[in-house]
Amino acid sequence: MSKPIRIALDAMGGDHGVSVIVPAACAYATADPDVELILVGLEDEILKQQPLLPDRVSVHHATQVVEMTDLPSHALRKKKDSSMRVAINLVKQGEADACVSAGNTGALMATARFVLKMLPHVDRPAIITALPNTSTQTWVLDLGANVDSSEYQLYQFAVMGSEQVAALTDIAKPRVGLLNIGEEEIKGNEQVKKANELLNQSDLNYVGFVEGDNIYDGSVDVVVADGFVGNIALKSSEGVAKMIRHFLKQSFKRNLLSKLAAVIAMPVLKCFAERIDPRRYNGATLLGLNGIVIKSHGGADQLSFQNAIGIAKNAVDHNIPSRIAKQVKSHLEGVKDA
């Protein structure tokens, strides 16, 4: 019998803390016998939420909590026994195979980078997640870890993103695009133009510049962007999805005829809602670290957080850091750093 995958959960992180994370952990562990979950945080609060934990769910006490308003530097220096820090330490010490947190993104990034360190030849971590497109999914990075990336760092993101998608899907050579304000080579800032040159010289399946709509049309598998741009693209997408759901509900409640139409269309509407439901895509990987750390949305509900746990398990199953380390060595060794 193979050894269970052990995942450390920052039980205090996010907008809802133990009220969401503890039930999510219990539900996930009950459904998946191959995973052991470690709830890291204030033991009294965890057990108050769930006095009797199911098999394969344990508690690891931590005395501090990183607040969503904490500066990363404060969390790093002053909260060394926070649930976030302790969960990451468990990965560093080999007591957990991955960590999941819905907590402060900046603090998580800084702490994970300090504790786990970077893979060789990688400057900075990048946040990657999958978004739905017209056929399957498009993976987008960076989604906010770095607000000002050089051409070399964009190239690193492309290598890491391509390898993650190759590892997690049946796409041997993922199509990689560089997000820009147009497809013409004369467009974009200097970092994007220079990154385009580097990518054209690589053996990645690079298709060139792509625009925002290409994230959703199925024409590309990996979209690379500066974290400032990528985060705006992600949040804009979430906003559009919410607006569509709002208008649909409003339209179907307008009168008796529209309510009858809603009843007839319900199976289609349900399928549509599930397809674009951001909860089912919750869980972003911090690529480039010497370990697996998954960032859940701060406002995640139980379904969302369970999805993030599943992404952590998948990353462990496919040994993502090791695979990326091999790829960055072959692609980035000798490429001058910024």
Side-chain angles (χ1 to χ4, degrees):
M1 184 176 177
S2 61
K3 183 180 177 182
I5 291 172
R6 292 171 59 85
I7 301 173
L9 308 179
D10 172 12
M12 316 307 296
D15 298 337
H16 309 296
V18 294
S19 65
V20 161
I21 295 166
V22 174
C26 294
Y28 192 96
T30 301
D32 189 341
D34 298 326
V35 171
E36 291 182 2
L37 300 176
I38 308 167
L39 290 164
V40 182
L42 304 176
E43 186 172 13
D44 288 347
E45 290 195 23
I46 293 170
L47 295 178
K48 183 179 179 181
Q49 177 68 37
Q50 184 76 33
L52 294 175
L53 296 171
D55 291 341
R56 291 173 287 103
V57 178
S58 60
V59 178
H60 190 109
H61 183 59
T63 61
Q64 296 174 299
V65 177
V66 173
E67 305 295 342
M68 298 300 274
T69 54
D70 281 346
L71 291 173
S73 57
H74 178 77
L76 196 58
R77 293 198 305 266
K78 303 295 184 180
K79 295 191 173 181
K80 296 181 181 180
D81 197 46
S82 68
S83 56
M84 179 185 291
R85 178 74 169 263
V86 173
I88 296 171
N89 282 340
L90 291 176
V91 177
K92 174 69 174 180
Q93 295 158 4
E95 296 179 40
D97 301 301
C99 162
V100 182
S101 174
N104 182 318
T105 302
L108 182 67
M109 182 66 67
T111 304
R113 186 175 179 181
F114 177 79
V115 172
L116 298 175
K117 311 305 180 188
M118 302 301 302
L119 294 172
H121 312 296
V122 179
D123 288 346
R124 302 175 182 176
I127 299 175
I128 184 171
T129 196
L131 297 175
N133 64 33
T134 54
S135 53
T136 52
Q137 296 176 331
T138 303
W139 297 75
V140 185
L141 77 163
D142 175 31
L143 292 174
N146 311 282
V147 296
D148 187 18
S149 304
S150 71
E151 62 269 27
Y152 301 105
Q153 288 154 2
L154 291 172
Y155 179 51
Q156 292 167 14
F157 299 164
V159 173
M160 294 192 294
S162 177
E163 183 57 27
Q164 162 126 340
V165 174
L168 298 180
T169 71
D170 58 359
I171 305 170
K173 295 286 286 185
R175 297 162 296 173
V176 178
L178 187 59
L179 192 61
N180 198 5
I181 58 172
E183 296 183 2
E184 300 87 350
E185 291 195 3
I186 61 170
K187 291 188 174 180
N189 58 32
E190 285 305 305
Q191 294 101 310
V192 168
K193 289 178 182 177
K194 290 178 180 178
N196 180 57
E197 293 174 7
L198 289 172
L199 288 164
N200 274 320
Q201 296 167 14
S202 75
D203 62 358
L204 296 175
N205 186 10
Y206 179 59
V207 300
F209 290 141
V210 296
E211 298 182 74
D213 59 332
N214 297 125
I215 295 173
Y216 305 101
D217 67 7
S219 63
V220 65
D221 303 304
V222 181
V223 172
V224 177
D226 180 276
F228 184 88
V229 175
N231 188 266
I232 291 173
L234 174 66
K235 297 298 172 61
S236 299
S237 302
E238 291 175 350
V240 170
K242 289 177 183 177
M243 182 185 70
I244 290 171
R245 286 197 298 269
H246 171 76
F247 284 152
L248 282 172
K249 288 180 181 178
Q250 203 174 52
S251 298
F252 281 121
K253 290 179 180 179
R254 187 173 299 162
N255 52 47
L256 180 59
L257 186 61
S258 63
K259 289 178 181 178
L260 289 172
V263 173
I264 296 170
M266 191 58 67
V268 175
L269 292 173
K270 185 178 179 182
C271 181
F272 171 74
E274 289 179 355
R275 186 73 184 272
I276 67 169
D277 187 351
R279 298 179 304 164
R280 298 184 179 275
Y281 297 90
N282 180 54
T285 307
L286 275 59
L287 287 186
L289 295 169
N290 190 23
I292 296 169
V293 177
I294 305 299
K295 173 67 176 76
S296 165
H297 195 291
D301 63 8
Q302 183 175 324
L303 175 62
S304 299
F305 200 83
Q306 285 178 232
N307 194 73
I309 297 171
I311 287 173
K313 180 195 174 185
N314 209 16
V316 176
D317 276 337
H318 292 86
N319 202 8
I320 295 298
S322 177
R323 290 189 58 149
I324 287 178
K326 292 178 183 177
Q327 286 301 310
V328 295
K329 179 177 174 61
S330 63
H331 281 86
L332 303 175
E333 205 168 31
V335 176
K336 184 180 178 182
D337 199 355

